[in-house]
Amino acid sequence: MASVKRVEYKSGRVVYRIVICQGYDNKGNKLVKNLTYSVNQSATPKQQEREAKKFAMDMEDKLKYGYDFNAEKMSFEDFAYKWLESVKDDLAYGTYAGYKQVLESRILPYFKGYKVANIKTPHIEAFYKTLVSEYSYGTIKRFANVLNLIFKTARRYQMIESNPCEDAKKPKNKDEETGLKFFTPKQAIMFMKSLDLTYDVVYKGHQRIDDTGKPYYVREYTESYTVPTQFKVFFMLSLFCGFRKGETLALHWNDIDYKNKTISISKSVGMTEHGFDYKDPKTKKSVRKVSIPDDVIPLLKQYHSEYVQSLWKHGTAWQGDRENGGNLFIQSDGKLMGHTTPYQYFIKHLNRYNDWVQNNPDKAKAGGFEELPMIPLHGLRHSCATLLNYLEVNIIEISKTLGHSTCSTTMNIYAHSFEEQQEVVANKVNDFLRMNA
């Protein structure tokens, strides 16, 4: 907020001294703009004050977005930080932190010393090429998005004639698959069944230390392993309800309505200024109720029974939330599950399952099991959308289930994967025509 101070000279002339804060530079120093504004001398003091404050507000907005910046003289680094500061209030903290990390990790070191007006499309493409050997195409798109937003702002406020990012081509790794990664409906069922398998886990010989501090050697041994119930629940909700990871982690037991077979999504867990904590969902439409498939209900009840037993076992040592029934997904002492834990366990499970398929070909074939593709945890949400489309759920209901702000958002994300289902639709039409010929 600008500082506005009235100054009256001996001659009777009135001006206002205005100080506008423009954020901070990369060293943490406060950046200010000092202005002197001469008001209408025949106006009343209140009218003069209103006039000065309006001028200050207008100038604050103009300075915030670089209106009076000279692109020929301003360094890209200075403008990038000013842009970042100007958009901070309009972004979720996690998004802001992500932009800052992307900016400071590679963009600013590469463009250090450049003036805003001197960066052209070839410079942008040369920067992209430096990223190919280290980053995936998806990550390169994140760098490109931040650069585009910066130059889009510079263009909007007439600092530059054109956005050099608009025509810049992003290089692709020829061996890298692009696009959404998800399970097909058949693979989704296979993954669900994989959660009930028993796996033999081999532990290699290793050294241990006993209670007295004396080392001893443990020979190689094998243990049977099954997937813990809470991870089964987590993955089933992601796959068949389409929840985002943060939405699933934020769930409390009171969010579950067994009578109506629904789960309420009203919060999320993600990056905030205080670290990973509760926050509002991604969009207003993300606040929603989602139906629970019948086959998931018994699993939820089984997990709740295990949960209560663990709570009573720990007694006063329980570190978890006791409000709203407590968090669904927890660490061994009741604390909220770590935000990276579901992903790490998911990848470990896929590797364990695929190893089992390879090492037990006869059992796998008899059970109808095949290797599953390695997809990210968020791919379960994509799998949900693809499954719902396969089951001919209309796009409006798919969008509501996923908590998208509009149906067009759903179509923009899943258009390609939905197109891959068109052969199935054509086959159904063919069957209909044959039956009614």
Side-chain angles (χ1 to χ4, degrees):
M1 185 71 180
S3 168
V4 179
K5 184 178 180 180
R6 179 184 175 91
V7 177
E8 187 171 348
Y9 294 107
K10 291 181 179 180
S11 62
R13 181 168 172 266
V14 175
V15 298
Y16 279 80
R17 299 286 166 80
I18 299 169
V19 180
I20 300 174
C21 177
Q22 296 179 260
Y24 299 84
D25 63 19
N26 58 329
K27 295 182 180 179
N29 298 316
K30 192 173 184 180
L31 302 171
V32 297
K33 182 80 171 181
N34 294 294
L35 302 168
T36 300
Y37 179 68
S38 180
V39 293
N40 182 352
Q41 301 300 306
S42 61
T44 66
K46 284 189 177 181
Q47 290 174 332
Q48 290 176 337
E49 184 179 6
R50 282 198 297 269
E51 180 187 343
K53 285 184 175 180
K54 183 180 184 305
F55 173 80
M57 289 176 63
D58 290 342
M59 287 304 300
E60 194 171 26
D61 283 341
K62 290 176 180 178
L63 289 169
K64 179 179 179 181
Y65 292 106
Y67 178 84
D68 71 339
F69 295 159
N70 185 334
E72 299 288 343
K73 295 181 180 180
M74 173 162 281
S75 72
F76 173 80
E77 183 177 15
D78 284 347
F79 181 71
Y81 273 115
K82 290 177 184 295
W83 165 81
L84 187 64
E85 188 66 25
S86 73
V87 300
K88 184 176 181 179
D89 293 339
D90 300 324
L91 302 174
Y93 184 79
T95 304
Y96 164 78
Y99 283 177
K100 191 172 189 292
Q101 192 277 329
V102 163
L103 193 62
E104 294 180 339
S105 63
R106 292 298 294 268
I107 294 177
L108 290 181
Y110 184 87
F111 289 104
K112 196 174 184 67
Y114 279 87
K115 303 298 182 186
V116 174
N118 294 338
I119 298 176
K120 307 298 181 184
T121 299
H123 298 114
I124 302 294
E125 292 182 345
F127 169 66
Y128 291 158
K129 288 178 181 178
T130 67
L131 306 174
V132 175
S133 61
E134 296 181 51
Y135 301 100
S136 67
Y137 181 71
T139 303
I140 292 174
K141 285 178 68 177
R142 288 179 61 203
F143 284 100
N145 180 53
V146 172
L147 272 172
N148 181 57
L149 290 172
I150 292 172
F151 283 106
K152 193 174 181 180
T153 301
R155 171 70 182 85
R156 186 184 305 127
Y157 287 91
Q158 302 179 0
M159 292 180 65
I160 53 178
E161 292 184 2
S162 62
N163 181 349
C165 297
E166 286 183 354
D167 298 321
K169 294 181 179 180
K170 293 178 281 294
K172 295 182 181 179
N173 187 327
K174 293 181 180 179
D175 298 326
E176 182 184 355
E177 294 182 8
T178 58
L180 299 180
K181 295 183 179 181
F182 54 89
F183 291 144
T184 64
K186 179 183 176 181
Q187 290 169 340
I189 297 301
M190 208 176 298
F191 171 73
M192 180 184 71
K193 292 181 177 179
S194 78
L195 300 174
D196 291 325
L197 291 174
T198 298
Y199 301 92
D200 289 332
V201 181
V202 178
Y203 295 92
K204 295 182 179 180
H206 57 279
Q207 291 281 350
R208 283 185 179 173
I209 306 294
D210 65 19
D211 294 339
T212 66
K214 184 179 180 180
Y216 65 99
Y217 183 77
V218 178
R219 295 181 179 180
E220 181 178 295
Y221 64 98
T222 302
E223 280 187 352
S224 293
Y225 176 85
T226 56
V227 177
T229 309
Q230 81 159 328
F231 283 109
K232 289 183 183 180
V233 173
F234 191 104
F235 298 145
M236 295 282 269
L237 293 180
S238 301
L239 180 59
F240 296 116
C241 296
F243 297 153
R244 301 175 178 94
K245 181 184 74 172
E247 294 172 344
T248 313
L249 282 174
L251 286 174
H252 285 75
W253 285 107
N254 287 1
D255 293 322
I256 300 173
D257 183 344
Y258 289 111
K259 182 180 178 180
N260 295 306
K261 300 178 182 178
T262 61
I263 294 184
S264 298
I265 297 296
S266 59
K267 55 194 175 301
S268 183
V269 170
M271 176 65 80
T272 70
E273 294 182 71
H274 310 292
F276 276 85
D277 203 349
Y278 293 102
K279 63 176 187 176
D280 292 333
K282 191 171 184 179
T283 67
K284 290 182 179 179
K285 290 291 183 70
S286 295
V287 177
R288 63 200 188 278
K289 286 187 178 181
V290 179
S291 296
I292 312 171
D294 288 345
D295 288 351
V296 179
I297 299 290
L299 188 63
L300 277 167
K301 291 182 176 179
Q302 176 189 336
Y303 176 44
H304 187 258
S305 177
E306 295 176 10
Y307 182 97
V308 172
Q309 289 177 29
S310 180
L311 188 154
W312 285 109
K313 180 181 176 181
H314 281 78
T316 56
W318 184 261
Q319 300 294 309
D321 184 2
R322 293 177 183 269
E323 296 182 4
N324 300 312
N327 287 104
L328 259 73
F329 302 104
I330 55 175
Q331 301 176 40
S332 60
D333 60 358
K335 289 180 182 177
L336 181 65
M337 181 182 283
H339 69 280
T340 62
T341 302
Y343 167 77
Q344 292 169 348
Y345 191 92
F346 178 66
I347 297 302
K348 185 182 291 185
H349 173 74
L350 285 180
N351 283 319
R352 185 178 289 139
Y353 166 76
N354 285 336
D355 287 343
W356 180 86
V357 171
Q358 292 175 8
N359 296 327
N360 300 274
D362 293 336
K363 286 184 179 180
K365 186 175 181 181
F369 292 105
E370 299 173 1
E371 287 189 51
L372 290 170
M374 298 299 293
I375 67 172
L377 179 63
H378 198 71
L380 292 179
R381 176 172 160 86
H382 298 325
S383 303
C384 177
T386 305
L387 176 62
L388 293 177
N389 179 66
Y390 172 80
L391 296 174
E392 298 180 329
V393 176
N394 70 68
I395 191 66
I396 296 174
E397 293 305 317
I398 294 176
S399 184
K400 286 181 180 178
T401 298
L402 298 177
H404 284 153
S405 55
T406 62
C407 291
S408 60
T409 300
T410 310
M411 284 305 302
N412 288 339
I413 296 173
Y414 297 109
H416 179 67
S417 60
F418 286 177
E419 285 173 7
E420 293 177 357
Q421 304 284 342
Q422 292 307 304
E423 184 178 347
V424 176
V425 175
N427 290 338
K428 289 183 178 181
V429 172
N430 291 334
D431 292 341
F432 173 79
L433 293 173
R434 280 194 294 270
M435 291 173 60
N436 294 278

